[in-house]
Amino acid sequence: NRFFDVLLPLARCQVRGLAPLKPYFRLKVPRLPGRLLAAVLADAQRARRRDGGLKEALYHFHHDGARVGVLKPAQRATAASVVAIEGKAADITLDLHSHGNLGAFWSETDNGDEQGFRVYGVIGRLDKRPEIRLRVGVYGYWFPLPVSALFDGPGGLVDVHGQEKKGGASHADA
């Protein structure tokens, strides 16, 4: 797309005459500022239910090649889910949501929802040691990414890239 190039493995095999391919993710635009992650973290830590517990929150990062912004769309959120009220825009570079004090992991709901061609992110452990996980999605196939692939800094979040559990929800290996 206009934001990045990606080659990700769908299946591992050898094809005679074809040179081995290595997965890659390359941004075509400047990396996003880590300060935007810090702002999202602060906002997600304020997303509370009446009992003081955290609600999930959703954020859309946009990049036009020169300017970067993050929007929090109108949404319905609970402790275990968040849904944008209006439809998703096509120009989203990163679709990121929070998991409150649960870890930054990909739920089955996330896997079902994240079927587009963009980068997806989840943040968690917001009141403890805030963490983040990113993956590039290509129509239901995913490949994990380090935060540094998309951002110029982690914005106060711990990148848990590379800590995927065996048998996890990702369709591709790290």
Side-chain angles (χ1 to χ4, degrees), residues 55-66:
K55 293 191 293 187
E56 289 195 6
L58 175 66
Y59 305 90
H60 292 158
F61 290 74
H62 299 265
H63 201 312
D64 69 5

Side-chain angles (χ1 to χ4, degrees), residues 37 40 61 94 96-97 103-106 120-126 129-135 145-148 150-151 153-164:
L37 278 179
V40 162
F61 290 74
L94 169 65
L96 182 137
H97 71 282
F105 67 97
W106 305 112
Y120 296 98
V122 62
I123 58 176
R125 301 194 197 290
L126 300 182
R129 186 173 180 235
E131 60 187 34
I132 185 170
R133 187 179 304 272
L134 298 179
R135 67 182 177 181
L145 294 175
V147 171
S148 61
L150 195 62
F151 288 92
L157 294 147
V158 174
D159 184 4
V160 293
H161 171 72
Q163 297 178 23
E164 287 79 14

Side-chain angles (χ1 to χ4, degrees), residues 50-86:
R50 290 179 196 230
D51 66 4
L54 287 163
K55 293 191 293 187
E56 289 195 6
L58 175 66
Y59 305 90
H60 292 158
F61 290 74
H62 299 265
H63 201 312
D64 69 5
R67 292 175 309 203
V68 178
V70 61
L71 297 172
K72 184 176 183 181
Q75 52 196 258
R76 279 191 300 273
T78 69
S81 68
V82 62
V83 177
I85 293 172
E86 70 267 359

Side-chain angles (χ1 to χ4, degrees), residues 72-142:
K72 184 176 183 181
Q75 52 196 258
R76 279 191 300 273
T78 69
S81 68
V82 62
V83 177
I85 293 172
E86 70 267 359
K88 288 187 178 184
D91 65 341
I92 298 170
T93 308
L94 169 65
D95 185 322
L96 182 137
H97 71 282
S98 66
H99 275 181
N101 277 324
L102 295 176
F105 67 97
W106 305 112
S107 70
E108 289 304 314
T109 300
D110 297 336
N111 291 341
D113 290 346
E114 297 174 356
Q115 297 292 312
F117 184 42
R118 64 175 56 131
V119 178
Y120 296 98
V122 62
I123 58 176
R125 301 194 197 290
L126 300 182
D127 283 341
K128 299 168 184 144
R129 186 173 180 235
E131 60 187 34
I132 185 170
R133 187 179 304 272
L134 298 179
R135 67 182 177 181
V136 60
V138 181
Y139 307 114
Y141 294 93
W142 307 284

